[in-house]
Amino acid sequence: MTKKKENIFDFVLFKRLFQYIRPYKFVFTGLCILVILLALFSAITPRLTKVAIDTGVSANAPETFLYYVVLMFAVLIGQTLFQLTFIYYASWLGQSLVKDIRIKLFNHLLRFKMKYYDNSSVGVLITRSVTDMERIADIFGQGLFMIFRDVLTMAVVFGFMMFSNWKLSLIVLVMLPILLYATRVFQKYMKSAFEEVRTEVSNLNSFVQERITGMKILQLFSRETIEYKKFKEINERHKKGWLKTVWYNSIFFPIADLASSITIGLVAWYGGLNVIVGTVSQGTLVEFIMYIPMLFRPLRQIADKFNTLQMGMVAATRVFKVLDTTSQIDDNGTTVANQFKGNIAFNEVYFNYVEDEDVLKGISFNVNAGETIAIVGATGAGKSTIINLLNRFYEIKDGAILVDDTDIREVTLASLRKQIAVVLQDVFLFADTILNNITLNNPDITEEQVHLAAKEIGIHDFILSLPNGYHYNVKERGVMLSSGQRQLISFLRAYVTNPSILVLDEATSSVDSYSEQLIQNATDKITKGRTSIVIAHRLATVKKADKIIVMDAGNIVEQGTHEELLKKEDGYYKNLYEVQFLEEEVA
C-alpha cells in the first residue's frame, strides 16, 4: 500500500483561513506593500556601502563618503519605521482574524447537542477555543508575512548580487541548494513533531482541568499519589514531544550557520584575490560580505517562522474540525411559543443515548394544563431523560412529544426553552454575582423583579444576609455557597422567568431541612395553576402530585394518584413507597 505523500503546506486549509481576511483586505494589501518596501530597503544598504567605499574611501573624497553615510542613515530610519508598522499591523490582522474565528467557534459550540458534550473532553475544547486560537493568530503575526518578507528579501538580495558581480554570486549559489534541501527536510519533520506536540498539549489540558475540577474527590479518596504519577507520565510525553522539535532545531540551525560562514570565507578568499589583481573593487567585496548573511539569515528565519506557521496550521486543522462538526439540534420550527397552556403528551416515545440500547421504550403519558405530576423510579429508569427530551437537548428516536397539541419539533428552540424552567439537582452557578446568576444577564428581568420574587418565595432575607447581598460574587461554580443555598438560587432563577411549564429534577435531594422547607413553600406557590413535572425524591412532593408516573428500565409501569397506587397489591410504587418513603413519613 502506497503511503500518501504528506504536504508541507496545506494550501486548501490556508485558502479557508484566507476567507476570514476579506473584511480586512485593505490592511492585508498594505502589509503586502510594506513587505516589498522592507525587502528593497534591506538590499539598498549594502549597495550604498559599496558606493560609499568605492567613490568616497578609495577615491579619497570625504564629502562624498559623508553624503552616502547620511543617506544610509536615512534609509535605516525609513526601514525602522516600516518595520514597526509592519510588525504591529501583522499582529493586529492575526488577532482580528482570530477574534472572528473564536466568535464563530463559540457560537457553534453553544448550539451543539448535549450528546456532543457527553462524548467530548472539556479540556480539549478549551484548548481549541484558547490555545489553538493563539497559534492561528501567529500564522499571520509571526508566520506567513514574515516568511513572505524573508523570501522576497532573499530574491531582491540575490538580484543585487548578480547585478553587482555574477562570478562571486555563483560561489554563493553553490551553497544555497544544500541549505534549501536541509530546510525542506527540516520543515517536513517539524510538522510531524508539532502535530504530536499539539496532541499532548490537549491531553495535558484535559487532564489538569478534570483533576482541578474534581480535586475534592481526589482528596476524599486519597488519590493524590496515583494522580501525581499519572500527571508525570502525561507531562513526560509532553516533554518528549517538545524535545523532538528542539532536536530538529539543534541540527538545522548549526548547519545553516556553518553554511553561511563557509560561504563568507569562500567569497572573502576569492574576492580578496580579485581585489589584489584589480578585477573586483573593495566596495564590491564588502557589499558581498554584507549580502551573504542577508541571504542566508532569512532562510534560517524562514525555517524558524515555518515552525510557527506549522503550529498554526495544525491548530487551524483542529479548530476547523470542531467547526465542521454537525451536532446541532435541527431548529426548523416555525411556531413561536409566546405562552403555553401547558398540556403535554408523550406518544410512543423511543430514545437511546447509544445505538440499539433504548433508554425509553415507547412511553406514553399525558399531563393536563395546570397539573403537577411526579415521576418516580430507580436510578437509570429514564426519569431525567424525559426532562432532557422535553427541552430538546436530545432528539427522540421515534414517536412524538406534544405541547398544546403541537409537536415540539415545530416550535422554535428558543421559544420552547423560554417557556420551560428547569431546576436541576446538580446546580451550576457562574463566577458572578447572585443577581447575574438569577437573571443570567437577561435585560428583561430587573433587579426589582428579582427582589419581589425572592420575597414571595421567602429567600430575600437569606440573600441580604450575605456580603453585598444580591451583588455577592459566588465564585466559580458557586463555591462560596452551601449546596442548599445554591439550590435556592437555582429555584429563584427558574421562578423569575415566569415559565409556562416548571420542571424540578430532584431539586430538594441535597438540601438541608431549612432550605427544603423554603423550597417546598416556593414549590407550592409556583406550581399552583402551572403545569409542573417533578422528578420526586421527597415524599411530600410525591403525595401532593395530581398524578404519579412510575418508571422502571425505560418503561412506565404504573400511573395514578398516591392513594390509587398504594391500593395495588404488590405494586411497584407500593413496594418503592414501603422501602424508600414510608421510613421518611414515620420519621
Side-chain angles (χ1 to χ4, degrees):
M1 183 177 178
T2 305
K3 186 177 180 180
K4 185 179 179 181
K5 185 177 180 181
E6 185 179 30
N7 293 324
I8 298 297
F9 186 83
D10 192 336
F11 287 97
V12 175
L13 181 63
F14 178 72
K15 183 178 179 181
R16 186 171 180 181
L17 275 173
F18 197 83
Q19 294 175 356
Y20 292 90
I21 297 179
R22 290 176 181 173
Y24 312 103
K25 58 185 178 181
F26 292 112
V27 175
F28 180 81
T29 302
L31 286 169
C32 292
I33 294 172
L34 282 173
V35 165
I36 296 171
L37 291 174
L38 284 171
L40 290 173
F41 271 62
S42 297
I44 287 175
T45 301
R47 187 67 183 178
L48 291 176
T49 303
K50 164 191 160 40
V51 176
I53 292 174
D54 289 343
T55 61
V57 177
S58 299
N60 198 21
E63 296 83 2
T64 303
F65 180 72
L66 181 61
Y67 167 77
Y68 282 106
V69 168
V70 173
L71 190 58
M72 282 189 285
F73 181 74
V75 170
L76 179 62
I77 295 297
Q79 184 179 2
T80 301
L81 292 175
F82 286 140
Q83 184 82 348
L84 287 172
T85 306
F86 170 75
I87 292 174
Y88 174 79
Y89 279 102
S91 297
W92 181 91
L93 179 64
Q95 290 299 327
S96 299
L97 179 144
V98 161
K99 177 203 69 176
D100 295 342
I101 299 178
R102 185 183 283 119
I103 290 173
K104 184 175 181 180
L105 177 66
F106 187 71
N107 187 49
H108 197 62
L109 290 172
L110 285 174
R111 286 159 177 75
F112 276 159
K113 299 176 184 177
M114 288 300 107
K115 186 176 181 180
Y116 178 85
Y117 294 104
D118 293 341
N119 300 321
S120 300
S121 165
V122 175
V124 170
L125 292 177
I126 291 174
T127 300
R128 300 292 172 269
S129 304
V130 182
T131 309
D132 284 341
M133 285 296 178
E134 292 305 317
R135 299 290 78 78
I136 294 175
D138 290 342
I139 290 178
F140 298 93
Q142 301 179 29
L144 183 69
F145 283 114
M146 299 297 184
I147 292 174
F148 183 30
R149 181 197 64 185
D150 290 340
V151 169
L152 192 59
T153 298
M154 290 175 61
V156 172
V157 165
F158 191 73
F160 271 76
M161 292 171 73
M162 288 294 292
F163 176 78
S164 181
N165 190 301
W166 67 270
K167 291 182 179 180
L168 291 178
S169 300
L170 289 179
I171 296 176
V172 177
L173 197 60
V174 170
M175 295 298 297
L176 202 57
I178 298 174
L179 194 55
L180 285 171
Y181 177 76
T183 302
R184 182 170 178 80
V185 173
F186 171 73
Q187 291 167 351
K188 178 181 178 180
Y189 281 98
M190 284 300 288
K191 180 178 182 181
S192 176
F194 278 129
E195 286 176 346
E196 182 178 340
V197 166
R198 296 311 307 156
T199 299
E200 295 305 330
V201 167
S202 294
N203 292 339
L204 190 63
N205 285 347
S206 179
F207 184 89
V208 172
Q209 188 272 335
E210 288 181 348
R211 270 57 185 184
I212 291 177
T213 302
M215 187 59 68
K216 182 181 291 185
I217 299 298
L218 298 185
Q219 294 183 358
L220 279 172
F221 289 89
S222 300
R223 297 275 301 179
E224 294 93 336
T225 302
I226 295 173
E227 296 301 327
Y228 171 69
K229 290 179 180 178
K230 285 184 179 179
F231 180 77
K232 285 183 67 177
E233 292 174 3
I234 295 174
N235 205 32
E236 181 67 21
R237 292 199 302 269
H238 178 261
K239 182 195 76 172
K240 287 180 178 179
W242 273 110
L243 284 179
K244 281 188 179 180
T245 67
V246 174
W247 171 244
Y248 298 145
N249 282 322
S250 65
I251 294 175
F252 173 76
F253 291 119
I255 290 175
D257 290 338
L258 180 63
S260 177
S261 298
I262 292 174
T263 305
I264 291 176
L266 290 174
V267 168
W269 167 74
Y270 181 75
L273 292 177
N274 281 271
V275 169
I276 293 173
V277 298
T279 57
V280 172
S281 68
Q282 294 179 9
T284 300
L285 181 59
V286 173
E287 177 189 18
F288 264 77
I289 291 175
M290 292 178 67
Y291 271 140
I292 290 172
M294 296 178 65
L295 186 66
F296 281 73
R297 190 184 306 115
L299 190 58
R300 183 184 187 279
Q301 290 175 343
I302 287 172
D304 193 20
K305 298 304 179 183
F306 203 87
N307 295 349
T308 302
L309 183 62
Q310 292 286 30
M311 290 188 71
M313 298 299 274
V314 170
T317 300
R318 296 176 184 273
V319 169
F320 284 134
K321 185 177 180 180
V322 177
L323 283 171
D324 292 338
T325 300
T326 53
S327 185
Q328 289 84 5
I329 294 289
D330 294 329
D331 190 10
N332 299 323
T334 56
T335 302
V336 178
N338 294 318
Q339 189 74 31
F340 286 136
K341 293 179 182 178
N343 295 301
I344 302 172
F346 274 60
N347 296 333
E348 292 294 320
V349 173
Y350 288 84
F351 173 76
N352 58 46
Y353 293 103
V354 180
E355 192 173 354
D356 299 326
E357 295 181 16
D358 286 344
V359 176
L360 298 183
K361 303 171 182 177
I363 67 168
S364 297
F365 65 88
N366 292 285
V367 185
N368 297 322
E371 281 188 341
T372 296
I373 69 165
I375 304 176
V376 300
T379 301
K383 305 186 298 297
S384 295
T385 299
I386 290 176
I387 308 308
N388 289 330
L389 296 181
L390 182 61
N391 282 279
R392 288 198 71 198
F393 288 137
Y394 300 87
E395 293 283 27
I396 62 176
K397 176 183 175 183
D398 199 6
I401 302 174
L402 309 177
V403 177
D404 293 346
D405 299 322
T406 301
D407 193 312
I408 60 173
R409 287 170 290 197
E410 297 176 8
V411 181
T412 61
L413 273 178
S415 66
L416 172 69
R417 293 172 179 170
K418 189 175 181 180
Q419 295 302 315
I420 303 173
V422 182
V423 179
L424 298 172
Q425 177 183 0
D426 183 19
V427 179
F428 186 94
L429 297 182
F430 296 93
D432 206 335
T433 64
I434 287 179
L435 179 64
N436 288 338
N437 269 290
I438 293 169
T439 65
L440 296 178
N441 296 302
N442 184 346
D444 296 330
I445 302 175
T446 65
E447 185 170 351
E448 290 73 21
Q449 289 174 309
V450 174
H451 290 183
L452 180 61
K455 291 175 182 177
E456 289 177 355
I457 65 175
I459 67 171
H460 179 68
D461 293 338
F462 143 65
I463 296 176
L464 289 182
S465 69
L466 299 171
N468 298 321
Y470 286 87
H471 298 279
Y472 178 58
N473 193 309
V474 299
K475 305 301 180 182
E476 189 174 2
R477 299 183 69 88
V479 296
M480 303 304 292
L481 302 177
S482 69
S483 59
Q485 291 171 330
R486 290 197 296 270
Q487 197 65 263
L488 289 170
I489 298 303
S490 177
F491 198 91
L492 183 55
R493 175 195 288 169
Y495 184 40
V496 296
T497 62
N498 191 27
S500 301
I501 299 171
L502 175 67
V503 177
L504 303 179
D505 188 355
E506 301 197 28
T508 61
S509 63
S510 61
V511 301
D512 54 73
S513 57
Y514 173 72
S515 298
E516 180 188 353
Q517 186 59 48
L518 287 175
I519 291 179
Q520 192 61 56
N521 293 337
T523 300
D524 294 340
K525 182 176 181 61
I526 193 173
T527 57
K528 186 177 181 180
R530 177 182 282 112
T531 303
S532 304
I533 300 176
V534 181
I535 295 180
H537 184 83
R538 300 297 175 94
L539 176 61
T541 307
V542 177
K543 293 176 67 175
K544 291 181 180 180
D546 297 305
K547 183 193 299 182
I548 299 171
I549 295 176
V550 186
M551 297 193 65
D552 181 41
N555 294 295
I556 294 177
V557 293
E558 292 175 353
Q559 294 189 56
T561 65
H562 174 68
E563 291 76 14
E564 290 171 348
L565 293 176
L566 284 182
K567 293 177 182 179
K568 293 186 178 183
E569 289 297 329
D570 200 29
Y572 189 99
Y573 177 79
K574 184 177 181 180
N575 292 332
L576 182 66
Y577 169 76
E578 291 174 349
V579 173
Q580 182 175 348
F581 294 148
L582 187 57
E583 182 179 334
E584 179 187 340
E585 186 178 42
V586 172

